[in-house]
C-alpha cells in the first residue's frame, strides 16, 4: 500500500511537471520525457561534455561518483566526530560548554558564508567539500547524540554501575546503543542536507562533481542538463537514504520487537 | 559470601533547587548480620531510597560511614547489586546479554558467562527466553531478568528499591515466592525497600522503620516461613502491623491490619 502511494505520488508529480512544461518555452522548462531522454544520452557517455573538454567523454558518472563519495565521507567523518563529542560531553562539562558554544555560533552560519573559508583553507580539492559536509554533520550529530544520551534513563546507568560496569563499558553498551534510535533521525537529516551542502560547495569552487556540472550547464543555459543532474542526484540520495534506513532498522531491531506478554 | 553491613551515624543532606537544604538521613546507625533479609519501611519521601542508594554507593553521605564486610562504601560495585523500581533491563540487549552484563564487566570469558547465565536464567524460570528482546516480555518477566542479573554477579548484598511496586498483586506474590526461594538458597544479605507492610511481613527477618530520615523502630520479624495467609493473620503478625502503622501515624481500630499499606 505504501509503495503504491509512493508510485502514485511520483506519477502525479510527473504529470504536473508535464502540464507546467507544456505551457512554457521548452528551452526554459523542458518536460520530464525530454529530461529523461537527456539523462539517457549523457549518463555514461556525453558527446556534449567531451566537446567542452569535460569528463573525457565519460558522461555524468564520474561527476556523480565524485559528489556521492564526498557526501558519504563527509557524513561519515561528521557522524563519528559529532557522536563522540556528543556522548563524551555527557560526562565532561567543559566539552559540553565548548561544543555548545561552537554549535550556537557556527551552526547558524549559512553555507555561503562558511564555504569560502573552507575553500581558502583546503583549496579547490575534494577535501574542502568533504570538510564542509563533515563540519555541518558534526554540529547536527553533536546536538542529536547529546540529546539522545540525556534521554537514556539515569536508572539504566545506575543499574550498570551497581553491576560493576566502568565508564568505557557503560559508554559502549549503554549510552551508544541506547542513543541509536534518536541519533538515526539526526543522521538522516544530516544525510539529506549533505547533498545540498556538497552541491553548493562544488558550485562555489570545484572542477568536478554534480554541483560543478550544474554550474557549467547554467552558464551554458542548458536547462536540460541541469534538470538531468538534479534528478540523478535526487535518485542517488533516495537510494542512499533507503540503505541508511535499512541499516538503522537492523541496528534497532530491539525497539521494533513486539510488546510483552500481558 | 554474605556480608555484614554497618551504618555508623550516617547523614545525608541535599540542596533542593530552591536552595533549601533537605535532610534525607539523620544519624542512621545499625548493623545487619550476614544473610539477613531486611525490609526498610516508611512513607514516601522519608529517606528509604536514600538509605539504599548510600549503601549502593550511588549517593555519598554527608556524615558518617557505611561498611560492607571490611570495605568502606565509597562507590558502586557489584558486591552490592541493585534491582530498581524502574524497569532497568536494557531493552537493546537480549535477555541473556542482560544477565551476562555484570559478568562481562568482570572480564569473564564467553563460555564462563554462558555457563552462569544458563544457570541463573533457569533459576528464575526464563531459560526459554534467553534470546528474547525485553520488549517481548511482561513486566514481571523483566523483573526476573533483573533478578537473574543480580544473581549472576554473585553480589554479597542484594539491594531492592520497591522492585515489584509497579506489578499487579498476583505477579508480585509470585515474585515474592521466587525471591525468598533464591535468598534461602544463596543466603545473601538483602535490603528491600517497600511502603507495603504486607510485603514486608511476607519477606523480612527484620523491619527497619524509617521516618523523617531516622530509624524510628527496628523490629525483628520472627514469623514462621512460608508466610501464607494464616501466618499473616496470626496475632503476632497483626501486632507487628499495628506497631508499624502506629509509627506511621495511621489509626488501626477498624482496619484489617495485614492488608493495609502505609500511605504515600
Amino acid at each position: 500500500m505504501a509503495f503504491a502511494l509512493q508510485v502514485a505520488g511520483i506519477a502525479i508529480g510527473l504529470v504536473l511537471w508535464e502540464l507546467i512544461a507544456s505551457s512554457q518555452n521548452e528551452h526554459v522548462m523542458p518536460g520530464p520525457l525530454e529530461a529523461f531522454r537527456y539523462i539517457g544520452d549523457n549518463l555514461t557517455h556525453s558527446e556534449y561534455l567531451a566537446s567542452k573538454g569535460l569528463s573525457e567523454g565519460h558522461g555524468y558518472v564520474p561527476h556523480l561518483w565524485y559528489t556521492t563519495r564526498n557526501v558519504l565521507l563527509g557524513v561519515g567523518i561528521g557522524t563519528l566526530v559529532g557522536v563522540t563529542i556528543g556522548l563524551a560531553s555527557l560526562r565532561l562539562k567543559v566539552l559540553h560548554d565548548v561544543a555548545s558554544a561552537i554549535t550556537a555560533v557556527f551552526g547558524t552560519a549559512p553555507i555561503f558564508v562558511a564555504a569560502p573559508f573552507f575553500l581558502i583553507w583546503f583549496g579547490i580539492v575534494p577535501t574542502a567539500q568533504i570538510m564542509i559536509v563533515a563540519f555541518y554533520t558534526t554540529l547536527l550529530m553533536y546536538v542529536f547524540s547529546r540529546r539522545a544520551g540525556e534521554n537514556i534513563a539515569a536508572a539504566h546507568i545506575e543499574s550498570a554501575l551497581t553491576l560493576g560496569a566502568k565508564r568505557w563499558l557503560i559508554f559502549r553498551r549503554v549510552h551508544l546503543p541506547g542513543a541509536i534510535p534518536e541519533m538515526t533521525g539526526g543522521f538522516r537529516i544530516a544525510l539529506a542536507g549533505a547533498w545540498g551542502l556538497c552541491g553548493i560547495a562544488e558550485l562555489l569552487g570545484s572542477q568536478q562533481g554534480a554541483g560543478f556540472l550544474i554550474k557549467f550547464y547554467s552558464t551554458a543555459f542548458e536547462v536540460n542538463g541541469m534538470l538531468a543532474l538534479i534528478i540523478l542526484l535526487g535518485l542517488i540520495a533516495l537510494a542512499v537514504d533507503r540503505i541508511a534506513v535499512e541499516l538503522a532498522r537492523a541496528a534497532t531491531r530491539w525497539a521494533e520487537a513486539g510488546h510483552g506478554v500481558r | 559470601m554474605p556480608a555484614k553491613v554497618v551504618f555508623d551515624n550516617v547523614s545525608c543532606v541535599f540542596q533542593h533547587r530552591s536552595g533549601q537544604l533537605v535532610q534525607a538521613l539523620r544519624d542512621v546507625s545499625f548493623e545487619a548480620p550476614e544473610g539477613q533479609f531486611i525490609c526498610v519501611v516508611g512513607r514516601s519521601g522519608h529517606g528509604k531510597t536514600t538509605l539504599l542508594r548510600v549503601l549502593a554507593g550511588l549517593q555519598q553521605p554527608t556524615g558518617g560511614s557505611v561498611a560492607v564486610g571490611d570495605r568502606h562504601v565509597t562507590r558502586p560495585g557489584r558486591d552490592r547489586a541493585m534491582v530498581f523500581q524502574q524497569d532497568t533491563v536494557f531493552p537493546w540487549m537480549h535477555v541473556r546479554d542482560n544477565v551476562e552484563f555484570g559478568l562481562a564487566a568482570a572480564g569473564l570469558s564467553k563460555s564462563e558467562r554462558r555457563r552462569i547465565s544458563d544457570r541463573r536464567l533457569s533459576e528464575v524460570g526464563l531459560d526459554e527466553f534467553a534470546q528474547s528482546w525485553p520488549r517481548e516480555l511482561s513486566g514481571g518477566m523483566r523483573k526476573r531478568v533483573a533478578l537473574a542479573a543480580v544473581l549472576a554477579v554473585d553480589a554479597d548484598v542484594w539491594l531492592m528499591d520497591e522492585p515489584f511496586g509497579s506489578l499487579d498483586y498476583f505477579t508480585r506474590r509470585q515474585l515474592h515466592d521466587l525471591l525468598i526461594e533464591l535468598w534461602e538458597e544463596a543466603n545473601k544479605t538483602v535490603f528491600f525497600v517497600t511502603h507495603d507492610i504486607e510485603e514486608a511481613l511476607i519477606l523480612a527477618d527484620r523491619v527497619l522503620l524509617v521516618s523523617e530520615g531516622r530509624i524510628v523502630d527496628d523490629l525483628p520479624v520472627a514469623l514462621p516461613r512460608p508466610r501464607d495467609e494464616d501466618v499473616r493473620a496470626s496475632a503476632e503478625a497483626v501486632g507487628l502491623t499495628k506497631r508499624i502503622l502506629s509509627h506511621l501515624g495511621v489509626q488501626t481500630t477498624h482496619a484489617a491490619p495485614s492488608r493495609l499499606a502505609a500511605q504515600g
Side-chain angles (χ1 to χ4, degrees), chain A residues 155-156 158-165 169 173-174 177-178 253-255 257-261, chain B residues 53 76-78 81-82 84 87-93 101-102 104-105 133 135-138:
Chain A
H156 275 136
E158 292 187 337
S159 175
L161 286 168
T162 69
L163 290 170
L169 188 72
R173 296 198 59 191
V174 180
R253 274 173 304 157
W254 55 269
H259 283 284
V261 181
Chain B
R53 288 177 62 80
R78 67 175 159 273
M82 186 155 166
F84 292 75
D87 193 356
T88 55
V89 171
F90 305 119
W92 48 86
M93 291 182 204
F101 181 80
W133 295 110
R135 272 177 70 113
E136 295 168 333
L137 308 182
S138 67

Coordinates of all heavy atoms in Angstrom, one line a residue, chain A residues 155-156 158-165 169 173-174 177-178 253-255 257-261, chain B residues 53 76-78 81-82 84 87-93 101-102 104-105 133 135-138:
Chain A
A155 N 18.4 5.5 35.6 CA 18.4 4.2 36.3 C 19.2 3.2 35.5 O 19.7 2.2 36.1 CB 17.0 3.8 36.5
H156 N 19.2 3.3 34.2 CA 20.0 2.3 33.4 C 21.5 2.5 33.7 O 22.2 1.5 33.8 CB 19.7 2.6 31.9 CG 18.5 1.9 31.3 ND1 17.6 2.5 30.5 CD2 18.1 0.6 31.5 CE1 16.7 1.6 30.2 NE2 16.9 0.5 30.8
E158 N 22.7 3.8 36.4 CA 23.0 3.4 37.8 C 23.0 1.8 38.0 O 23.7 1.3 38.7 CB 22.0 4.0 38.8 CG 22.2 5.5 38.8 CD 21.3 6.2 39.8 OE1 20.2 5.6 40.2 OE2 21.6 7.3 40.3
S159 N 22.1 1.2 37.2 CA 22.0 -0.2 37.3 C 23.3 -0.8 36.8 O 23.9 -1.8 37.4 CB 20.8 -0.7 36.4 OG 20.8 -2.1 36.3
A160 N 23.8 -0.2 35.7 CA 25.1 -0.7 35.1 C 26.2 -0.6 36.1 O 27.1 -1.4 36.3 CB 25.4 0.0 33.8
L161 N 26.2 0.6 36.9 CA 27.2 0.8 37.9 C 27.2 -0.2 39.0 O 28.2 -0.7 39.4 CB 27.1 2.2 38.5 CG 27.5 3.4 37.6 CD1 27.0 4.7 38.2 CD2 29.0 3.5 37.4
T162 N 26.0 -0.5 39.5 CA 25.9 -1.5 40.6 C 26.2 -2.9 40.1 O 26.4 -3.8 40.9 CB 24.5 -1.5 41.3 OG1 23.5 -2.0 40.4 CG2 24.1 -0.1 41.7
L163 N 26.2 -3.1 38.8 CA 26.6 -4.4 38.3 C 28.1 -4.5 38.0 O 28.6 -5.4 37.4 CB 25.8 -4.8 37.0 CG 24.3 -5.1 37.3 CD1 23.6 -5.2 35.9 CD2 24.2 -6.4 38.1
G164 N 28.8 -3.4 38.4 CA 30.3 -3.4 38.3 C 30.8 -2.8 37.0 O 32.0 -2.9 36.8
A165 N 30.0 -2.2 36.2 CA 30.5 -1.6 34.9 C 31.3 -0.3 35.1 O 30.9 0.5 36.0 CB 29.3 -1.4 33.9
L169 N 32.7 0.7 29.4 CA 31.7 -0.4 29.1 C 30.3 0.3 29.1 O 29.5 0.0 28.2 CB 31.7 -1.4 30.2 CG 30.8 -2.6 29.9 CD1 31.4 -3.5 28.8 CD2 30.6 -3.5 31.1
R173 N 28.1 0.0 25.8 CA 27.0 -0.9 25.8 C 25.7 -0.3 26.4 O 24.7 -1.0 26.4 CB 27.4 -2.2 26.6 CG 28.5 -2.9 25.9 CD 28.6 -4.3 26.3 NE 27.4 -5.1 26.1 CZ 27.2 -6.3 26.6 NH1 28.2 -6.9 27.3 NH2 26.1 -7.0 26.4
V174 N 25.8 0.9 26.9 CA 24.6 1.5 27.4 C 24.3 2.8 26.6 O 23.2 2.9 26.0 CB 24.6 1.8 28.9 CG1 23.3 2.5 29.4 CG2 24.9 0.5 29.7
P177 N 24.3 2.2 22.3 CA 23.1 1.5 21.7 C 21.8 2.2 22.1 O 20.9 2.2 21.3 CB 23.2 0.1 22.2 CG 24.1 0.2 23.4 CD 25.1 1.3 23.2
G178 N 21.8 2.7 23.3 CA 20.5 3.4 23.8 C 20.2 4.6 23.0 O 19.1 5.0 22.9
R253 N 16.6 -3.3 16.0 CA 15.5 -4.4 15.9 C 14.8 -4.5 17.3 O 13.7 -4.8 17.4 CB 16.1 -5.7 15.6 CG 16.2 -6.0 14.1 CD 17.0 -7.2 13.9 NE 18.3 -7.2 14.5 CZ 19.1 -8.2 14.9 NH1 18.6 -9.4 14.7 NH2 20.2 -8.1 15.5
W254 N 15.6 -4.3 18.4 CA 15.1 -4.4 19.7 C 13.9 -3.4 20.0 O 13.0 -3.7 20.7 CB 16.2 -4.1 20.7 CG 16.9 -2.8 20.6 CD1 18.0 -2.6 19.9 CD2 16.6 -1.6 21.2 NE1 18.4 -1.3 19.9 CE2 17.5 -0.6 20.7 CE3 15.5 -1.1 22.0 CZ2 17.5 0.7 21.1 CZ3 15.5 0.2 22.4 CH2 16.5 1.1 22.0
A255 N 14.0 -2.2 19.3 CA 12.9 -1.2 19.5 C 11.7 -1.6 18.8 O 10.6 -1.1 19.1 CB 13.4 0.1 19.1
A257 N 10.7 -4.8 18.3 CA 10.2 -6.1 18.8 C 8.8 -5.9 19.4 O 8.5 -4.9 20.0 CB 11.2 -6.7 19.8
G258 N 8.0 -7.0 19.3 CA 6.6 -6.9 19.8 C 6.5 -6.6 21.3 O 7.5 -6.9 22.0
H259 N 5.4 -6.1 21.7 CA 5.2 -5.7 23.1 C 5.0 -7.0 23.9 O 4.7 -8.1 23.4 CB 4.0 -4.8 23.3 CG 4.3 -3.4 22.9 ND1 5.0 -2.6 23.7 CD2 4.0 -2.7 21.8 CE1 5.2 -1.4 23.1 NE2 4.6 -1.5 21.9
G260 N 5.3 -6.9 25.2 CA 5.4 -8.0 26.1 C 4.1 -8.8 26.3 O 3.0 -8.3 26.0
V261 N 4.2 -9.9 26.9 CA 3.1 -10.8 27.3 C 2.3 -10.0 28.3 O 2.8 -9.4 29.2 CB 3.6 -12.1 27.9 CG1 2.5 -13.0 28.3 CG2 4.6 -12.7 27.0
Chain B
R53 N 20.5 3.9 48.5 CA 21.4 4.5 47.5 C 22.8 4.8 48.1 O 23.8 4.6 47.5 CB 20.8 5.8 46.9 CG 19.7 5.5 45.9 CD 19.1 6.8 45.4 NE 20.0 7.6 44.7 CZ 20.4 7.4 43.4 NH1 19.8 6.4 42.7 NH2 21.2 8.2 42.8
P76 N 29.8 2.7 43.7 CA 29.0 1.4 43.4 C 30.0 0.3 43.1 O 31.1 0.5 42.7 CB 28.2 1.8 42.2 CG 28.3 3.3 42.1 CD 29.5 3.7 42.7
G77 N 29.5 -0.9 43.3 CA 30.3 -2.1 43.0 C 29.4 -3.3 42.9 O 28.3 -3.3 43.5
R78 N 29.8 -4.3 42.2 CA 29.0 -5.5 42.0 C 28.8 -6.4 43.2 O 28.1 -7.3 43.2 CB 29.4 -6.3 40.8 CG 30.7 -7.0 41.0 CD 31.0 -7.9 39.8 NE 32.4 -8.2 39.7 CZ 33.2 -7.4 39.1 NH1 32.8 -6.3 38.5 NH2 34.5 -7.7 39.1
A81 N 24.8 -5.3 44.2 CA 24.0 -5.2 43.0 C 22.6 -4.8 43.4 O 22.1 -5.2 44.5 CB 24.0 -6.4 42.2
M82 N 21.9 -4.0 42.5 CA 20.6 -3.5 42.9 C 19.5 -3.8 41.8 O 19.8 -3.7 40.6 CB 20.8 -1.9 43.0 CG 19.6 -1.2 43.6 SD 20.2 0.4 44.3 CE 18.8 1.3 44.5
F84 N 16.0 -2.1 40.7 CA 15.4 -0.8 40.9 C 13.9 -0.9 40.7 O 13.3 -1.8 40.1 CB 15.9 0.2 39.8 CG 17.4 0.6 40.0 CD1 18.4 -0.3 39.7 CD2 17.7 1.8 40.5 CE1 19.7 0.0 39.9 CE2 19.0 2.1 40.7 CZ 20.0 1.2 40.4
D87 N 12.1 0.1 35.4 CA 12.5 -1.0 34.5 C 13.9 -0.7 34.0 O 14.1 0.2 33.2 CB 11.5 -1.1 33.3 CG 11.7 -2.4 32.6 OD1 12.6 -3.2 32.9 OD2 10.9 -2.6 31.6
T88 N 14.9 -1.4 34.6 CA 16.3 -1.1 34.2 C 16.9 -2.2 33.3 O 18.1 -2.1 33.0 CB 17.2 -1.0 35.4 OG1 17.0 -2.1 36.2 CG2 16.8 0.3 36.2
V89 N 16.1 -3.1 32.9 CA 16.6 -4.1 31.9 C 16.9 -3.4 30.6 O 16.1 -2.6 30.2 CB 15.6 -5.2 31.7 CG1 16.0 -6.2 30.6 CG2 15.4 -6.0 33.0
F90 N 18.1 -3.6 30.1 CA 18.5 -2.9 28.9 C 17.7 -3.4 27.7 O 17.8 -4.6 27.3 CB 20.0 -3.0 28.6 CG 20.9 -2.6 29.7 CD1 21.7 -3.5 30.3 CD2 20.8 -1.3 30.2 CE1 22.5 -3.1 31.4 CE2 21.6 -0.9 31.3 CZ 22.5 -1.8 31.9
P91 N 16.8 -2.5 27.1 CA 16.0 -3.0 26.0 C 16.7 -3.4 24.7 O 16.2 -4.1 23.9 CB 15.0 -1.9 25.8 CG 15.7 -0.7 26.3 CD 16.6 -1.1 27.4
W92 N 18.0 -2.9 24.6 CA 18.7 -3.2 23.4 C 19.6 -4.4 23.5 O 20.3 -4.7 22.6 CB 19.6 -2.0 23.0 CG 20.4 -1.5 24.2 CD1 21.6 -1.9 24.6 CD2 20.0 -0.4 25.1 NE1 22.0 -1.2 25.7 CE2 21.1 -0.3 26.0 CE3 18.9 0.4 25.1 CZ2 21.0 0.6 27.0 CZ3 18.9 1.4 26.2 CH2 19.9 1.5 27.1
M93 N 19.5 -5.1 24.6 CA 20.2 -6.4 24.7 C 19.2 -7.5 24.9 O 18.2 -7.4 25.5 CB 21.1 -6.4 26.0 CG 22.2 -5.4 26.0 SD 23.1 -5.6 27.6 CE 23.9 -4.0 27.7
F101 N 25.7 -9.1 31.6 CA 26.3 -7.7 31.6 C 27.3 -7.6 32.7 O 28.5 -7.1 32.4 CB 25.2 -6.6 31.7 CG 25.8 -5.2 31.6 CD1 26.1 -4.7 30.4 CD2 26.0 -4.5 32.8 CE1 26.7 -3.4 30.4 CE2 26.5 -3.3 32.8 CZ 26.9 -2.7 31.5
G102 N 26.9 -7.9 33.9 CA 27.9 -7.7 35.0 C 29.0 -8.7 34.9 O 30.1 -8.3 35.4
A104 N 30.4 -9.6 32.1 CA 31.3 -9.0 31.0 C 32.1 -7.9 31.7 O 33.3 -7.8 31.4 CB 30.4 -8.5 29.9
A105 N 31.4 -7.2 32.6 CA 32.2 -6.1 33.3 C 33.3 -6.7 34.2 O 34.3 -6.0 34.4 CB 31.2 -5.3 34.2
W133 N 13.9 -10.4 23.1 CA 14.2 -9.0 23.5 C 13.3 -8.6 24.7 O 12.2 -9.1 24.8 CB 13.7 -8.0 22.3 CG 14.5 -8.2 21.1 CD1 14.1 -8.8 19.9 CD2 15.9 -7.8 20.9 NE1 15.2 -8.7 19.0 CE2 16.3 -8.2 19.6 CE3 16.9 -7.2 21.7 CZ2 17.5 -7.9 19.0 CZ3 18.1 -6.9 21.2 CH2 18.4 -7.3 19.8
R135 N 11.4 -6.2 25.3 CA 10.1 -5.7 25.0 C 9.1 -6.9 24.7 O 7.9 -6.6 24.7 CB 10.2 -4.9 23.7 CG 10.5 -3.4 24.0 CD 10.6 -2.7 22.6 NE 9.3 -2.6 21.9 CZ 8.7 -1.4 21.7 NH1 9.2 -0.3 22.2 NH2 7.6 -1.4 21.1
E136 N 9.6 -8.0 24.5 CA 8.7 -9.2 24.2 C 8.3 -9.8 25.5 O 7.5 -10.8 25.5 CB 9.5 -10.2 23.3 CG 9.8 -9.6 21.9 CD 10.7 -10.5 21.1 OE1 11.6 -11.2 21.7 OE2 10.7 -10.5 19.9
L137 N 8.8 -9.4 26.6 CA 8.4 -10.0 27.9 C 7.4 -9.1 28.7 O 7.3 -7.9 28.5 CB 9.7 -10.1 28.8 CG 10.9 -10.9 28.2 CD1 12.0 -11.0 29.2 CD2 10.5 -12.2 27.7
S138 N 6.8 -9.7 29.7 CA 5.9 -8.9 30.5 C 6.7 -8.2 31.6 O 7.9 -8.5 31.8 CB 4.9 -9.9 31.2 OG 5.6 -10.7 32.1

